[in-house]
Amino acid sequence: MSIPALEVTVAAPVASFRNPLYPGMQVGLPCPPPSTVGGLLAAASGSWARVPQHTRFAMAFHVEAAGKDLETFHPLAEVGVKTTPVPKDRDYLWGTALTLWLIEDLDLWAARLRRPVWPLHLGRSQDLASVRTRRVDLDEVCGEQRRAVILDHPEASGTRLRLTTAVREDRSHTRWDDYRYADPLTTEHQSPPGNRLPVGWSTDTGQGVALLPAFHPALVEARS
Amino acid sequence: MSTSTAATAGVLVELTAHPMQRAGAFALAALARRDHPQEVGEDEFGAVWALMTDDAAAATRRLDAKQPGAFLLAASYGLWPNCKMNIPSMRRLSAEQRAEAVEQWRAPRDPDCRIDAACALCGQAACGFFGKVDVPLAMSVEYRNTTVPGHAGLALCRGCLASFYALPYACYFQGGRAAILHSWDEAFLGPAIRGQVVETSRRIASMSTEKPAKTAYAREQVALERLRRYSHPVTADVSLIAFTNSNQEQEFSEYRISLPLAIWLRSTARQPERKAAWSALERACHSERVAGSAALAGLLVRQPHRIVGRVARYISTRTADSRGSEVGDEITGLVELLQSFVREVQQVNEQQLQEIVEVGNRAAALMTVTKKQVNTLVVAHRKPSDLRRWLHRCTVDWLLARENPALTSITDTSKPFISPTQLRWLFEYGDEAWLFRDLLFTAVLAELQRRGHQPDTQDQQEIKDALDEDVTDKEDEQ
């Protein structure tokens, strides 16, 4: 048995994903947070209002190398106050490829990603990303974790990361969840062969596909 | 687990996604003598807030951070630059005025004090907006690119703000840097932070001007010690985060001790054989400049993949140094510990590891029977092409000697010396090939020790010369 899905491959030679907890620094994350990927889908749609609230995706992220470079930081200050540009270290990833699997509204997403409303980026605005889509059939058997970004579970491999799943449009609330990612650049975190996900489907190569939580900003619950 | 706006309404101090807030929250709980931040009630919260303010004010009465009792003043440079504790104009004020300014900065927030925003970290009603003066590694109010100029920044509730104020109690300070241990395993994080709070409170209360002796990799040693002493299984990675919020140079470095490494480290303090071999591992990392325990901590926390190479070199040295069963036991124990490390931490495939060890055992048996010099292996190990030639020679010797009763009595000669697959692992597997070659090398030397095969005097001298040459080469490169 299998289910139809849209496989989206987003590739960028250079990408960086900032950790939002340290705004004074340029601390990088090893993979894009689901909220960033959700933002990419919203950019393709033109606005959050056009993104169905029930949309969910599974994702895997490949990276070939990581590095650190210097970026000139131009601080903004009070009007009339002169500021001095300063060099800052910036973590970046090289040779990145993000693979998404969508299992609902396939025609809609195939059309939007074919002609996105806004340019698509991975991380920084100057690093444009290329997008390819193809229809695939996912086997209804659990696949291997490999480079999938998955919700945390006790048998999962890789680094446990707390990433943003969704951010309200007015940025007043953020939903954080625990994820696991077997970073290919950290040998001791490699996902061992045969490490199967407890849920989801698999591609024809055996890659596990497990849906992440819904990412729409309207679903972020506010505390009363 | 969804955390942001978690359904824990009514809790004063929540744990959020921010590692520094979490460390601070546990420090706050420790100061309130509670096991978990969520157990801190309003009265205890007020008492801890007052205690932290008193400590900060007392330190500010000193003008010089090197004076006795000024520990928090020194710490404030790296945590809260531009705060009332250390701005230059404060020097013109009296001690009382300085303390008063700090008390004003740290004025307790009323439970009903609310702004029209939710806490950016836990989602509770915020009590104000805060920037770099209060939150390490946030942006300063003067220089910012993420909000409008003049906006103070992060909306925080009382609990999260107090957690950041409690952060220095959770920090190990060294060389102008603060360091915290962090883990998503809260059962581990609690006791680890509690231990540091006791240490830091002692330093705050101390009126001595004597500074702790400077040691290399001190914060890595503290991290390792807390992890190895922890009495329950860890369930998540442990991070050592070194940071400074200084105006001159903000810094954030995270060293991650992976869960497999953390589990293995705990096993070295509990399983008798591993515990016994641990001191040999420390000796393997010892150098003239850095003590073994420190160097080992530095390697394990920062570059665990280098451990295997370091041990391989140490075993060469020990082989050349002396004779006797003591050395043999040490090398055997060390190699077993090393193999457990690559199996459990580096997650080398068990079958691959076993097959490499078997090749090593066959090589050792062959060397014992043919009286091959150990130096030839030590020299060949330095260069992949030389090692490959050495293995080819062994393959020929194996064929010639496979009927030799001396050899057949100690090993099974029906198998080939080395298979094409094993050769590929050793020479065509990229970075892992280095690991496999080191594993083969240590396996051969350990097996030679087990068989009681000792290099003769000339062989020993040649090994020493080869090792000295390595050191000279490295010095030339530098």
Side-chain angles (χ1 to χ4, degrees), chain B residues 28-233:
Chain B
L28 195 148
L31 291 170
R33 298 183 189 284
R34 292 286 180 183
D35 288 335
H36 197 279
Q38 289 186 346
E39 295 171 12
V40 176
E42 187 65 50
D43 292 346
E44 295 151 330
F45 182 80
V48 173
W49 189 297
L51 170 78
M52 294 190 298
T53 307
D54 288 348
D55 283 347
T60 316
R61 288 174 196 276
R62 273 75 182 169
L63 267 179
D64 184 352
K66 289 176 184 162
Q67 280 185 301
F71 176 76
L72 272 182
L73 184 60
S76 73
Y77 293 116
L79 284 170
W80 310 302
N82 311 329
C83 76
K84 298 286 186 191
M85 288 181 82
N86 53 35
I87 52 177
S89 60
M90 293 287 282
R91 289 176 173 273
R92 291 196 292 270
L93 304 179
S94 68
E96 282 308 314
Q97 286 171 317
R98 289 196 302 272
E100 205 175 302
V102 169
E103 281 161 4
Q104 206 178 347
W105 166 45
R106 291 287 188 87
R109 267 56 171 189
D110 190 82
D112 297 327
C113 161
R114 291 177 178 213
I115 58 168
D116 187 21
C119 175
L121 297 178
C122 73
Q124 298 197 72
C127 67
F129 292 100
F130 303 89
K132 186 178 173 180
V133 174
D134 301 280
V135 185
L137 305 182
M139 293 197 84
S140 73
V141 177
E142 288 76 21
Y143 277 22
R144 50 192 319 109
N145 293 40
T146 50
T147 55
V148 292
H151 189 284
L154 208 60
L156 290 179
C157 66
R158 290 192 306 146
C160 288
L161 180 63
S163 299
F164 283 118
Y165 289 157
L167 181 61
Y169 295 85
C171 292
Y172 178 87
F173 290 93
Q174 190 206 27
R177 303 280 183 277
I180 53 165
L181 267 187
H182 176 258
S183 174
W184 299 109
D185 177 359
E186 283 152 20
F188 166 76
L189 189 59
I193 297 290
R194 228 178 357 258
Q196 187 57 50
V197 169
V198 173
E199 287 294 311
T200 311
S201 299
R202 198 175 294 153
R203 286 187 77 178
I204 289 171
S206 168
M207 295 306 283
S208 164
T209 53
E210 205 172 301
K211 280 187 170 180
K214 277 187 183 173
T215 55
Y217 301 115
R219 55 175 83 101
E220 286 83 355
Q221 287 188 78
V222 170
L224 234 59
E225 198 183 343
R226 293 207 194 286
L227 194 50
R228 294 182 76 226
R229 279 190 185 174
Y230 180 55
S231 51
H232 302 284

Side-chain angles (χ1 to χ4, degrees), chain B residues 92-358:
Chain B
R92 291 196 292 270
L93 304 179
S94 68
E96 282 308 314
Q97 286 171 317
R98 289 196 302 272
E100 205 175 302
V102 169
E103 281 161 4
Q104 206 178 347
W105 166 45
R106 291 287 188 87
R109 267 56 171 189
D110 190 82
D112 297 327
C113 161
R114 291 177 178 213
I115 58 168
D116 187 21
C119 175
L121 297 178
C122 73
Q124 298 197 72
C127 67
F129 292 100
F130 303 89
K132 186 178 173 180
V133 174
D134 301 280
V135 185
L137 305 182
M139 293 197 84
S140 73
V141 177
E142 288 76 21
Y143 277 22
R144 50 192 319 109
N145 293 40
T146 50
T147 55
V148 292
H151 189 284
L154 208 60
L156 290 179
C157 66
R158 290 192 306 146
C160 288
L161 180 63
S163 299
F164 283 118
Y165 289 157
L167 181 61
Y169 295 85
C171 292
Y172 178 87
F173 290 93
Q174 190 206 27
R177 303 280 183 277
I180 53 165
L181 267 187
H182 176 258
S183 174
W184 299 109
D185 177 359
E186 283 152 20
F188 166 76
L189 189 59
I193 297 290
R194 228 178 357 258
Q196 187 57 50
V197 169
V198 173
E199 287 294 311
T200 311
S201 299
R202 198 175 294 153
R203 286 187 77 178
I204 289 171
S206 168
M207 295 306 283
S208 164
T209 53
E210 205 172 301
K211 280 187 170 180
K214 277 187 183 173
T215 55
Y217 301 115
R219 55 175 83 101
E220 286 83 355
Q221 287 188 78
V222 170
L224 234 59
E225 198 183 343
R226 293 207 194 286
L227 194 50
R228 294 182 76 226
R229 279 190 185 174
Y230 180 55
S231 51
H232 302 284
V234 273
T235 59
D237 298 355
V238 175
S239 289
L240 175 67
I241 298 174
F243 67 98
T244 171
N245 199 26
S246 155
N247 283 333
Q248 275 71 41
E249 185 194 11
Q250 278 189 320
E251 188 189 305
F252 174 92
S253 305
E254 183 172 13
Y255 303 104
R256 210 179 281 271
I257 300 171
S258 65
L259 180 58
L261 177 56
I263 292 170
W264 181 82
L265 283 171
R266 285 189 69 255
S267 76
T268 60
R270 279 160 184 76
Q271 296 180 16
E273 316 81 51
R274 293 187 182 185
K275 202 173 172 181
W278 180 259
S279 49
L281 190 57
E282 288 184 337
R283 285 195 293 281
C285 297
H286 182 81
S287 70
E288 278 181 24
R289 281 189 293 181
V290 185
S293 55
L296 176 60
L299 275 180
L300 283 169
V301 173
R302 291 166 178 246
Q303 299 168 305
H305 59 278
R306 289 185 57 201
I307 289 284
V308 180
R310 186 65 68 95
V311 171
R313 182 176 169 80
Y314 175 71
I315 292 178
S316 315
T317 317
R318 291 296 281 153
T319 305
D321 262 357
S322 54
R323 294 160 178 267
S325 60
E326 196 183 311
V327 174
D329 290 346
E330 183 192 17
I331 291 178
T332 308
L334 188 52
V335 169
E336 278 170 12
L337 184 65
L338 187 71
Q339 288 174 1
S340 72
F341 176 82
V342 298
R343 186 185 296 119
E344 294 166 26
V345 180
Q346 296 193 289
Q347 300 188 350
V348 167
N349 182 290
E350 179 65 30
Q351 187 203 340
Q352 286 180 314
L353 176 61
Q354 282 308 319
E355 289 195 31
I356 293 293
V357 170
E358 277 176 27

Side-chain angles (χ1 to χ4, degrees), chain A residues 125-194:
Chain A
S125 58
Q126 61 264 53
D127 300 327
L128 280 176
S130 69
V131 179
R132 280 182 294 113
T133 59
R134 68 177 185 129
R135 302 294 181 111
V136 294
D137 286 321
L138 299 176
D139 291 335
E140 288 194 33
V141 289
C142 298
E144 292 185 6
Q145 181 179 337
R146 299 183 192 168
R147 299 287 165 247
V149 179
I150 56 169
L151 269 177
D152 184 34
H153 71 90
E155 284 80 38
S157 291
T159 308
R160 188 168 156 187
L161 299 163
R162 193 160 285 185
L163 301 173
T164 50
T165 303
V167 184
R168 273 206 164 184
E169 276 193 82
D170 62 2
R171 304 188 70 80
S172 62
H173 291 87
T174 303
R175 173 180 168 154
W176 299 80
D177 286 287
D178 283 346
Y179 295 89
R180 289 269 192 160
Y181 177 54
D183 183 351
L185 303 172
T186 315
T187 50
E188 60 266 33
H189 278 143
Q190 279 179 359
S191 167

